[in-house]
Amino acid sequence: MVSENVLGKPKKYQGFSIDVLESLATYLGFKYEIYVAPDHKYGSPQDDGSWNGLIGELVFKRADIGISALTITPERENVVDFTTRYMDYSVGVLLRKAEKTVDMFACLAPFDLSLWACIAGTVLLVGLLVYLLNWLNPPRLQMGSMTSTTLYNSMWFVYGSFVQQG
């Protein structure tokens, strides 16, 4: 964009593209002069096959390089070479920020309610089976050791095995 112009002095430009151009000129050691395309357009093909705007200036070799916020299209790529893009603009949508609410059941969100019911039913059923098997065939224990084979302990054992925690 054009910075503030003082009468009698040449126009000065500023912006990211100008900073890139200035860095390139310093690094590669060349001098440049900025001028705007006479028709103030980016460039589009005309009916006779010629180009107008910035692309036309490059095609007719009135300019060595062009620097602009220019969209790279297949038609333009057929007549001039582009560098890779160094800045992307995209469409953005603004939304009001959601209110933060604390939900103590957020940990249940990854699974559906029917799956949670199946998990709970499995823990109950397998816990009951473990209790019955321990009751029907109690384990042989060493002297002095005590273990409790209650239904609560069986359920807790199955749950601990299921979530791999004690």
Side-chain angles (χ1 to χ4, degrees):
M1 66 185 169
V2 179
S3 62
E4 287 188 35
N5 192 8
V6 179
L7 290 174
K9 297 216 174 180
K11 288 183 180 178
K12 287 214 44 136
Y13 294 91
Q14 64 183 13
F16 186 71
S17 295
I18 300 302
D19 293 342
V20 169
L21 181 62
E22 185 63 38
S23 294
L24 283 173
T26 303
Y27 184 73
L28 298 174
F30 66 86
K31 294 184 185 235
Y32 63 90
E33 177 186 338
I34 298 176
Y35 77 95
V36 181
D39 56 3
H40 299 283
K41 295 186 178 178
Y42 291 116
S44 57
Q46 303 301 301
D47 294 333
D48 62 355
S50 65
W51 286 80
N52 66 359
L54 177 62
I55 301 294
E57 296 296 303
L58 292 168
V59 168
F60 294 121
K61 299 185 190 244
R62 292 188 289 259
D64 295 320
I65 63 170
I67 188 163
S68 176
L70 187 65
T71 305
I72 301 172
T73 63
E75 295 85 16
R76 290 176 177 163
E77 275 190 315
N78 286 334
V79 293
V80 295
D81 290 327
F82 285 92
T83 63
T84 56
R85 295 181 299 199
Y86 57 87
M87 185 177 276
D88 265 333
Y89 294 108
S90 62
V91 176
V93 177
L94 297 176
L95 298 174
R96 183 172 42 103
K97 194 172 187 178
E99 296 177 14
K100 288 185 179 180
T101 57
V102 177
D103 184 15
M104 63 186 222
F105 297 110
C107 62
L108 302 177
F111 298 136
D112 192 29
L113 183 62
S114 61
L115 183 61
W116 283 115
C118 290
I119 291 171
T122 303
V123 168
L124 288 173
L125 181 66
V126 173
L128 183 64
L129 288 174
V130 167
Y131 171 73
L132 288 174
L133 288 173
N134 277 332
W135 183 69
L136 291 173
N137 189 12
R140 309 223 188 288
L141 301 175
Q142 295 178 356
M143 290 295 285
S145 65
M146 291 199 57
T147 185
S148 176
T149 55
T150 63
L151 181 60
Y152 173 78
N153 283 347
S154 297
M155 296 285 188
W156 189 250
F157 171 75
V158 170
Y159 174 76
S161 299
F162 186 72
V163 296
Q164 297 179 355
Q165 296 181 18

